[in-house]
Amino acid sequence: MGLLSIIRKVKSKERECRLLILGLDNAGKTTILKSFNGEDINSISPTLGFNIKTLEHRGYTLNCWDVGGQQTIRSYWRNYFEQTDGVIWVVDSADRVRMGDCKRELIDLMGQEKLAGASLMIFANKQDLRGAMSRDQIREVLGLDGKEFENRHWGIFGCSAVTGEGLLEGMDWMTEDISGRIFMLS
Amino acid sequence: MDHVDFGSLDSSCDSELLIDGGNQNMTEEDVLFDTIVGALENVLMDEDFNDMQSSFCFKHCGVFEDTEESKLVYTSLFSEYTELIEGYIIERLTSEVPSFTMDAFGSMLGERQDEITGDVFDMLMSFTDFSEFKDLMLSYKSQAEGSGLKGLVDIVSKENFASTPAAGLGMAGLSIEPQTKGKTFDPLSPASREAKDAGVSP
């Protein structure tokens, strides 16, 4: 580890963690982040780069990195893995056609060494849309009970970024899981 | 550089007095730690450091835009920036403190969490913060564009431009106005303010 990373590690606030929000394009990553933060979500355009937001939640500081999900920029995701405590994987529950892509990208992501210790929270988003797959259907189609996830702390929550439903439960789980893993040890 | 307190780095007394208030029970490692921190402070206050930082910022600030969403390229520039700064600091520390190794200093830092306070460490910490980096680049960009201040720049830069090391360092191929290239605005720049702030002994 270099000088600056050491300084950051030693000096960073105790209850601070870094969350990476990923998923296919149009899954609703930015909308979830803004909705959870109480911001206007009516004019969000596809993210071509990334957004950062620092949220205070249940006494924790969450540094959230929301990176665009279009296929051409997925190769850049790796630049954001460093020091990530938790990954929020956002799924468009109504996009049945791309559920296979979604699974492949998630499994690929979870195979990345730098994310080996990160908690995984999956948002089955767009539950307000007719035709959306349920949380349990998505759990099955992503194969969350399979061997790829057996050593992973993971949780899945149905939500709607538009209505706000389910967001709090997911974020609570994420915060508790990370804090249980990291902060209780020290 | 006109800061005199850290003039003799090889004398542990200087840094001991400043950093620790002259504790009698200092171990050899404490002395080394204080020497390194003193040298670190020197490096960060140094004009060379400021020039290096400024020339990087002027060279790359053009791609930055004041929008909420960040471009992917900012991330690679940010890594380049932190690597540049880190590399520079390590090189200087290695030459100024003969017994310096990053491994040893790293574990000293880990054991001294409560002592890692003050301007030097705040400044180092700021180099690791992406949002501060983005703000810094944006402020360099608006400096480079020199909105409304071109007249002033013109007058001052005639004296300063030719003699600044920054003028020849990494400044090639810039799209900024020539008269803003010099260090004319440095006293106003965040980078330079930080460097000055860091010069104040704890």
Side-chain angles (χ1 to χ4, degrees):
Chain A
M1 214 190 298
L3 174 64
L4 295 178
S5 326
I6 293 173
I7 300 275
R8 179 150 193 99
K9 200 174 171 191
V10 174
K11 266 186 83 76
S12 58
K13 283 182 242 159
E14 267 178 37
R15 292 169 163 252
E16 184 168 357
C17 47
R18 175 174 164 123
L19 303 181
L20 185 55
I21 307 176
L22 297 175
L24 303 189
D25 47 299
N26 200 41
K29 298 177 287 298
T30 306
T31 311
I32 284 180
L33 190 55
K34 292 203 169 196
S35 172
F36 187 72
N37 200 33
E39 292 173 44
D40 178 35
I41 55 166
N42 287 312
S43 53
I44 295 174
S45 30
T47 304
L48 303 175
F50 62 98
N51 296 293
I52 306 172
K53 226 167 264 299
T54 301
L55 309 176
E56 301 296 331
H57 183 62
R58 308 258 190 247
Y60 291 88
T61 302
L62 311 177
N63 297 313
C64 301
W65 295 67
D66 151 39
V67 189
Q70 296 184 18
Q71 193 166 11
T72 47
I73 59 176
R74 286 177 208 156
S75 58
Y76 291 88
W77 285 355
R78 68 182 68 249
N79 298 338
Y80 300 84
F81 292 166
E82 209 79 50
Q83 320 233 0
T84 293
D85 299 302
V87 173
I88 298 177
W89 182 257
V90 182
V91 181
D92 174 352
S93 308
D95 187 0
R96 292 167 186 259
V97 176
R98 293 201 298 164
M99 217 45 93
D101 287 352
C102 181
K103 177 182 181 176
R104 186 172 39 78
E105 293 287 0
L106 175 61
I107 287 178
D108 184 54
L109 188 69
M110 291 297 108
Q112 301 292 322
E113 206 184 327
K114 283 179 178 165
L115 296 175
S119 306
L120 170 67
M121 192 266 285
I122 294 152
F123 267 138
N125 190 27
K126 309 198 188 181
Q127 289 298 314
D128 55 308
L129 293 187
R130 226 181 301 160
M133 293 169 79
S134 72
R135 183 196 64 180
D136 290 341
Q137 283 174 312
I138 286 171
R139 174 180 180 151
E140 198 177 326
V141 81
L142 295 180
L144 294 177
D145 296 296
K147 63 171 171 25
E148 283 95 348
F149 299 93
E150 63 188 6
N151 295 320
R152 175 81 54 185
H153 283 220
W154 62 267
I156 181 167
F157 297 83
C159 77
S160 161
V162 174
T163 66
E165 204 181 327
L167 297 182
L168 198 59
E169 288 83 349
M171 295 305 278
D172 279 349
W173 180 87
M174 186 55 124
T175 315
E176 275 166 32
D177 193 72
I178 293 173
S179 62
R181 232 168 8 85
I182 300 176
F183 304 111
M184 300 307 164
L185 293 174
S186 53
Chain B
M1 196 190 65
D2 49 21
H3 196 282
V4 292
D5 290 349
F6 291 93
S8 50
L9 293 169
D10 49 350
S11 155
S12 57
C13 269
D14 280 3
S15 29
E16 183 180 332
L17 282 169
L18 282 157
I19 308 293
D20 212 17
N23 188 335
Q24 300 296 310
N25 305 318
M26 289 176 83
T27 65
E28 225 170 275
E29 197 187 81
D30 291 334
V31 174
L32 178 60
F33 181 76
D34 288 354
T35 307
I36 296 172
V37 174
L40 196 52
E41 184 157 1
N42 256 350
V43 171
L44 295 179
M45 286 167 23
D46 201 329
E47 239 174 75
D48 280 352
F49 179 81
N50 194 27
D51 289 345
M52 174 208 59
Q53 194 190 24
S54 299
S55 59
F56 181 91
C57 293
F58 273 124
K59 187 175 174 186
H60 297 290
C61 65
V63 300
F64 283 76
E65 281 171 53
D66 194 6
T67 51
E68 188 183 6
E69 186 176 320
S70 295
K71 300 179 193 173
L72 295 168
V73 67
Y74 301 174
T75 303
S76 39
L77 287 171
F78 181 51
S79 318
E80 233 181 277
Y81 175 74
T82 51
E83 277 165 28
L84 181 74
I85 285 179
E86 199 165 78
Y88 181 90
I89 293 173
I90 300 298
E91 198 187 314
R92 289 282 306 272
L93 287 179
T94 308
S95 73
E96 290 181 21
V97 184
S99 51
F100 172 83
T101 64
M102 192 52 233
D103 279 355
F105 188 50
S107 45
M108 288 182 211
L109 288 167
E111 290 158 9
R112 288 170 174 75
Q113 304 212 357
D114 300 337
E115 294 174 46
I116 314 297
T117 54
D119 294 331
V120 173
F121 293 108
D122 287 346
M123 188 173 172
L124 289 175
M125 190 70 176
S126 75
F127 296 140
T128 73
D129 187 309
F130 175 80
S131 301
E132 291 203 25
F133 170 71
K134 187 177 171 184
D135 289 346
L136 181 70
M137 289 307 240
L138 287 171
S139 79
Y140 269 93
K141 189 181 181 181
S142 58
Q143 260 186 61
E145 286 167 350
S147 47
L149 292 165
K150 280 180 184 163
L152 174 69
V153 180
D154 221 338
I155 296 162
V156 190
S157 64
K158 274 177 188 156
E159 291 169 25
N160 291 351
F161 180 62
S163 62
T164 72
L169 192 79
M171 304 293 278
L174 287 186
S175 57
I176 57 170
E177 300 289 329
Q179 67 265 35
T180 62
K181 277 187 185 174
K183 285 165 57 64
T184 313
F185 272 151
D186 273 8
L188 301 174
S189 82
S192 146
R193 274 206 310 276
E194 275 173 25
K196 287 203 161 51
D197 290 346
V200 181
S201 300

